[in-house]
Amino acid sequence: EVQLVESGGGLVQPGGSLRLSCAASGFTFDNYDMNWIRQAPGKGLQWVAYIHSGGNTIFYADSVKGRFTISRDTAKNSLYLQMNSLRVDDTAVYFCARKRTGTTYFASWGQGTLVAVSS
Amino acid sequence: QSVLTQPPSVSGAPGQRVTISCTGNSSNLGAGYDVHWFQQLPETAPKLLIYDNNNRPSGVPDRFSGSKSGTSASLAITGLQPADEADYYCQSYDTSLSAWVFGGGTKLTVL
């Protein structure tokens, strides 16, 4: 069974940092591109960041470029999102989602972890 | 403002058919990129409902179907059930933004 389990969310002050993790199991992690997608309270979905299955290609949404860093660890079957210079409007549930290379849809999602940025 | 436009809400009685529209432009749906649909039940993660315009993942009932034409797409749900009450999102890729994009979501209410 495919499982994606996010962790690392919490309450942080504006300007602070947080590192999210996503533990993957039930599939060959190396064969999938991975993404972070977020959902602000009561709002819709927003794609945040992408990393290719091989880790050599990375893309970010303009709203997080220069502040967030996506990475993956094949040995640990894990995906990460380092979030720096956090802003109030980064408050959201962050989901990790897998995508097969060559496709444009997010096949499986984790349950999400809440990041709240507030003073 | 979402790149893909969906109606904020739709409703229907049990057993009826409803459709949810998704309108894009020449940089996403009109550029030939496929549209995908997700169902998000209250307090849960989104779940893939339709991929590549009209394909259902294993386990998704054939009451759900999708179509795409030009810069528009739609999701149809037949035989509406109370359990279908959820938020529905369309999704594609936008070449001018170099980003995966979502519609703003449509809340389906089963009367």
Side-chain angles (χ1 to χ4, degrees), chain B residues 70-91:
Chain B
T71 58
S72 295
S74 66
L75 172 71
I77 309 173
T78 60
L80 210 53
Q81 299 178 1
D84 297 333
E85 202 161 270
D87 293 324
Y88 293 84
Y89 294 90
C90 61
Q91 178 255 313

Side-chain angles (χ1 to χ4, degrees), chain A residues 33 35 37 39 43-47 49-50 59-62 65 95 99 103-112, chain B residues 33-36 38 40 44-48 50-52 87 89 91-93 97-105:
Chain A
D33 303 338
N35 297 263
I37 297 161
Q39 185 171 34
K43 303 296 184 181
L45 300 166
Q46 181 192 23
W47 168 78
Y50 157 95
F59 299 120
Y60 297 100
D62 286 346
K65 207 171 291 184
F95 299 98
K99 183 183 78 62
T103 68
T104 58
Y105 59 90
F106 307 107
S108 305
W109 300 57
Q111 86 289 347
Chain B
Y33 288 101
D34 292 326
V35 67
H36 321 293
F38 297 88
Q40 187 175 31
T44 67
K47 169 192 159 186
L48 181 65
I50 297 287
Y51 67 95
D52 293 350
D87 293 324
Y89 294 90
Q91 178 255 313
S92 186
Y93 182 81
L97 297 173
S98 296
W100 288 268
V101 292
F102 290 91

Side-chain angles (χ1 to χ4, degrees), chain B residues 7-109:
Chain B
S9 63
V10 298
S11 62
Q16 285 190 332
R17 177 182 186 269
V18 295
T19 61
I20 298 173
S21 62
C22 174
T23 303
N25 58 38
S26 58
S27 296
N28 40 69
L29 303 190
Y33 288 101
D34 292 326
V35 67
H36 321 293
W37 292 90
F38 297 88
Q39 178 192 59
Q40 187 175 31
L41 298 170
E43 306 302 320
T44 67
K47 169 192 159 186
L48 181 65
L49 199 63
I50 297 287
Y51 67 95
D52 293 350
N53 306 319
N54 55 15
N55 295 283
R56 286 185 307 276
S58 173
V60 173
D62 60 7
R63 300 187 298 108
F64 296 89
S65 62
S67 64
K68 180 200 165 198
S69 178
T71 58
S72 295
S74 66
L75 172 71
I77 309 173
T78 60
L80 210 53
Q81 299 178 1
D84 297 333
E85 202 161 270
D87 293 324
Y88 293 84
Y89 294 90
C90 61
Q91 178 255 313
S92 186
Y93 182 81
D94 191 288
T95 188
S96 69
L97 297 173
S98 296
W100 288 268
V101 292
F102 290 91
T106 299
K107 182 174 183 59
L108 168 63
T109 300

Side-chain angles (χ1 to χ4, degrees), chain A residues 9-68:
Chain A
L11 176 63
V12 60
Q13 292 189 334
S17 298
L18 215 52
R19 188 194 194 208
L20 306 184
S21 300
C22 171
S25 61
F27 65 100
T28 304
F29 186 64
D30 290 356
N31 289 351
Y32 285 82
D33 303 338
M34 297 299 295
N35 297 263
W36 288 100
I37 297 161
R38 69 185 180 183
Q39 185 171 34
K43 303 296 184 181
L45 300 166
Q46 181 192 23
W47 168 78
V48 172
Y50 157 95
I51 184 167
H52 185 264
S53 56
N56 52 342
T57 301
I58 287 173
F59 299 120
Y60 297 100
D62 286 346
S63 56
V64 307
K65 207 171 291 184
R67 301 187 298 122
F68 290 12

